[in-house]
Amino acid sequence: MSTRRARLLPSVILLAAFSACTTTGGVSLRPDGSPGPQECSEKALEVMRYLKMRVGDAALAELDANQIRSRRITLYDGPIESMLREDLGTLEATTRLYGQVWTSGPQVVIRWYEAHPPDGDKVPICAVARLSDDQMRKLPESKPGTAILDGSVAAAYVVDSFR
């Protein structure tokens, strides 16, 4: 880790320690079961500024830390633990991302609300999983409450609100 990151990390950890935990509760659902709009907390926006994470920045992430490098993965509605494969802002590769998965709509929706760097405490963030060419579209054999995807990797995009 660079000296600059090492000096910045304690400030971010302290800031996160005094913040309320970001929750995924209370998200409205659209008619197809996918999540509706949701604002990022002010604390997450502040922490992302300190972490040098700007809206639109992206890095590859393993969608499910339990299915790394799988050709096909099955995701379930509910909580998810993912892992960065590349640095994102000052978050290093192998940082864990914690969030929520929705599988009811035509495409899987993953929103990440927290990051846990390998050498620090969890901090609030706002990021979404994105892939082009309909690669987040669940396969037809997916059962209700699940989504089967070809591949285990997507891009984690930094956002300032969920749409």
Side-chain angles (χ1 to χ4, degrees), residues 104-155:
S104 297
Q107 297 199 66
V108 176
V109 175
I110 300 174
R111 293 177 177 176
W112 290 294
Y113 300 99
E114 291 182 322
H116 189 179
D119 57 354
D121 294 325
K122 286 183 183 177
V123 293
I125 64 164
C126 293
V128 296
R130 289 188 182 146
L131 277 175
S132 58
D133 300 325
D134 283 334
Q135 293 181 52
M136 293 298 288
R137 185 169 298 280
K138 59 188 184 181
L139 297 177
E141 59 265 31
S142 301
K143 295 184 179 2
T146 68
I148 300 171
L149 298 177
D150 272 332
S152 64
V153 177

Side-chain angles (χ1 to χ4, degrees), residues 5-157:
R5 277 191 202 169
R7 280 187 264 141
L8 182 61
L9 193 56
S11 300
V12 171
I13 291 169
L14 185 61
L15 180 66
F18 288 104
S19 70
C21 182
T22 306
T23 64
T24 59
V27 177
S28 63
L29 297 179
R30 294 183 170 105
D32 68 359
S34 63
Q38 181 183 18
E39 295 299 316
C40 290
S41 71
E42 286 300 319
K43 198 52 71 179
L45 296 172
E46 187 176 352
V47 167
M48 290 189 305
R49 279 191 299 274
Y50 284 115
L51 293 175
K52 306 291 185 211
M53 296 170 62
R54 293 175 302 280
V55 172
D57 287 352
L60 291 180
E62 289 284 348
L63 293 174
D64 186 343
N66 295 312
Q67 301 181 69
I68 292 175
R69 294 195 174 119
S70 296
R71 190 181 93 57
R72 255 190 188 189
I73 64 170
T74 302
L75 300 178
Y76 300 89
D77 282 327
I80 191 164
E81 177 184 5
S82 304
M83 185 180 76
L84 286 177
R85 290 179 65 175
E86 304 172 331
D87 293 352
L88 180 59
T90 59
L91 294 176
E92 299 176 47
T94 74
T95 292
R96 300 298 175 138
L97 303 176
Y98 296 94
Q100 188 78 17
V101 176
W102 289 268
T103 65
S104 297
Q107 297 199 66
V108 176
V109 175
I110 300 174
R111 293 177 177 176
W112 290 294
Y113 300 99
E114 291 182 322
H116 189 179
D119 57 354
D121 294 325
K122 286 183 183 177
V123 293
I125 64 164
C126 293
V128 296
R130 289 188 182 146
L131 277 175
S132 58
D133 300 325
D134 283 334
Q135 293 181 52
M136 293 298 288
R137 185 169 298 280
K138 59 188 184 181
L139 297 177
E141 59 265 31
S142 301
K143 295 184 179 2
T146 68
I148 300 171
L149 298 177
D150 272 332
S152 64
V153 177
Y157 275 85

